[in-house]
Amino acid sequence: MELLSVIRRWRYRDHFSIREISRRTGLSRNTVRKYLRSDSVEPRFNLPDRASKLDPFADKLSQMLQQEAGKSRKQKRTAKQLHADLVVLGYDGSYNRVAAFAREWKAARHREQQTTGRGAFVPLAFLPGEAFQFDWSEDWAIIAGERTKLQVAHVKLAYSRAFVLRAYPQQTHEMLFDAHNHAFRVLGGVPRRGIYDNMRTAVDKIGRGKERKVNTRFSAMVSHFLFEAEFCNPASGWEKGQIEKNVQDARHRLWQPTPSFASLTALNDWLEVRCRELWVEIAHGAQPGTVADAWREEAQHLMQLPRPFDGFVEYAKRVSPTCLIHLERNRYSVPASFANRPVSVRVYPERVVVAAEGQIVCEHARVFARSHRLMSGATVYDWRHYLAVIQRKPGALRNGAPFAELPPAFRALQQRLLKTPGGDRDMVEILALVLQHDEQTVLAAIELALQAGAPTKTHILNVLHRLVDGKSIDAPPVKPPNALTLTTEPQANVERYDALRKVRETRHAS
């Protein structure tokens, strides 16, 4: 490169002859003329074919790329994963060589199929606290030993690129609202705009251009958090490209290998901690430092976080004669006083709340039936809801399904009382005590009665009243008066009876 520069200066600036340049450089005059005629400022060389460490694995890598091309976008492995697989097979070269081979292979495939690669787009820039992007993804995890498909909510700040993930069983309104509550809590505030695609939980109808008929409950959430919701054009994922890329990156960072947890709550706790850790590990790219550094700057520009949005979905239901309401193929018990009456069911991501007459009637943990083979679904009972029924029908206590899961102390007492006459009625009256007294206090009274060996209704009531009044349960010691003090200890001597028989040798009729 330096020699070519010298030749050009001597010829065009100093006006040396070709003979003089040839003499000074030691090059032939034809070589000097060739450089000058090419009118090039840098030399060009033909790269020789050099052997590469990847050559023995080229066919194998081509097969792997061919297999990945046939998979769905969510299941494709990255070039780093392909490099790791080749290392296991004995490849000791660099990752860059594998990535370059993959790019050349994909370009050749596009030329062969006469297709084009990615299109051209305009890069977007956001101010601190200006916007966040939201999207859903489907991923898999092992929950309580079972491989489970999850719907994962992604929320990402557009400026700092701080992101939050939370997993749910479904993509429903109550899951969407809960995801926003947790995301804004972790991010420390609310941006001024939210960018969404046209998901059914937000948009009821797509109009011309940017016209949207937004769902009423979604509008209520937007109004609660005071941000503006914007929706992308249909099939235009690049309009929220940050969150689209976050979905792809999270699949390799968090879901491979498949995480395993005892419950969905434990998985979400781990996701929250892991996201915070990734903020510190990932470089921002457009800003100096990491994502965590940019987030600290953006957190100062976020709107103040209000109280959590009460994001329930409400349904009108009628209680069956068996004191049950039906929801999503499952059944939940309701107090017997509301049988055959309408109630309002408020559905949250993790619980089901039943309301009637302006007050909360009962609450259950929500059940998700994952097996379509169980067409009847699951039934969630609360035996306290049926106490009014068994007071009128005590015989139903023996085989009543709601009473199959009584506390152990109740079960032990029931086994003792049902063996006695009138035991059904006594057991019903003891169970009804939980309506007037604390359930733990009633259980303590039953356990003390069982330990004393006298599990009767009278004894249990006596012990319960002592516990409620704060009196001692143990019987007070009895001290007899001096006149009743025993002076001569009795002796067990049966020979005295023989002496009585010798005195009178009489025969008695047998």
Side-chain angles (χ1 to χ4, degrees), residues 235-449:
S236 301
W238 57 83
E239 296 183 8
K240 53 181 182 64
Q242 289 190 14
I243 198 66
E244 295 285 348
K245 186 176 186 301
N246 194 82
V247 170
Q248 181 180 3
D249 293 342
R251 186 162 290 119
H252 305 301
R253 291 169 179 164
L254 300 172
W255 305 104
Q256 293 181 359
T258 304
S260 177
F261 288 91
S263 64
L264 186 59
T265 302
L267 171 63
N268 283 323
D269 292 341
W270 174 78
L271 284 174
E272 182 175 328
V273 173
R274 185 59 183 143
C275 286
R276 291 182 180 272
E277 294 174 351
L278 289 174
W279 295 358
V280 181
E281 299 173 6
I282 301 173
H284 187 278
Q287 301 292 335
T290 63
V291 170
D293 298 330
W295 170 74
R296 295 188 190 96
E297 177 188 354
E298 185 173 19
Q300 303 174 4
H301 298 82
L302 297 175
M303 294 187 296
Q304 184 177 2
L305 183 66
R307 61 177 176 81
F309 178 65
D310 193 12
F312 62 84
V313 177
E314 194 167 15
Y315 301 99
K317 299 286 184 178
R318 188 173 185 84
V319 183
S320 69
T322 53
C323 308
L324 297 173
I325 58 170
H326 293 253
L327 178 68
E328 297 174 343
R329 295 168 41 202
N330 300 318
R331 293 167 297 278
Y332 302 89
S333 66
V334 177
S337 58
F338 293 92
N340 303 305
R341 294 172 58 186
V343 294
S344 176
V345 181
R346 300 174 182 177
V347 183
Y348 292 86
E350 298 176 352
R351 69 187 193 276
V352 175
V353 178
V354 181
E357 300 178 354
Q359 62 181 356
I360 301 300
V361 173
C362 64
E363 182 176 331
H364 292 280
R366 188 174 177 181
V367 177
F368 294 93
R370 302 191 177 279
S371 178
H372 293 282
R373 293 174 295 181
L374 300 176
M375 299 304 296
S376 59
T379 304
V380 180
Y381 291 112
D382 187 341
W383 57 270
R384 303 163 191 83
H385 296 164
Y386 294 86
L387 292 178
V389 179
I390 62 172
Q391 286 178 350
R392 294 183 286 105
K393 303 176 181 179
L397 182 62
R398 292 179 178 266
N399 300 106
F403 304 98
E405 298 181 359
L406 286 173
F410 281 128
R411 298 291 297 174
L413 178 63
Q414 183 183 17
Q415 293 176 1
R416 299 282 294 273
L417 292 181
L418 293 185
K419 296 178 182 179
T420 61
D424 288 327
R425 177 66 62 181
D426 291 344
M427 186 63 195
V428 168
E429 294 179 0
I430 294 173
L431 286 176
L433 292 174
V434 301
L435 298 177
Q436 291 84 25
H437 303 281
D438 180 66
E439 183 176 335
Q440 295 302 322
T441 305
V442 177
L443 286 173
I446 294 174
E447 292 174 353
L448 291 173

Side-chain angles (χ1 to χ4, degrees), residues 461-497:
L461 288 174
N462 186 16
V463 175
L464 177 62
H465 291 156
R466 287 180 173 273
L467 290 175
V468 172
D469 297 338
K471 297 181 180 180
S472 175
I473 304 300
D474 299 329
V478 178
K479 185 177 181 180
N482 294 332
L484 299 179
T485 303
L486 184 65
T487 57
T488 303
E489 294 288 339
Q491 297 180 357
N493 185 7
V494 297
E495 294 180 355
R496 294 181 299 171
Y497 296 100

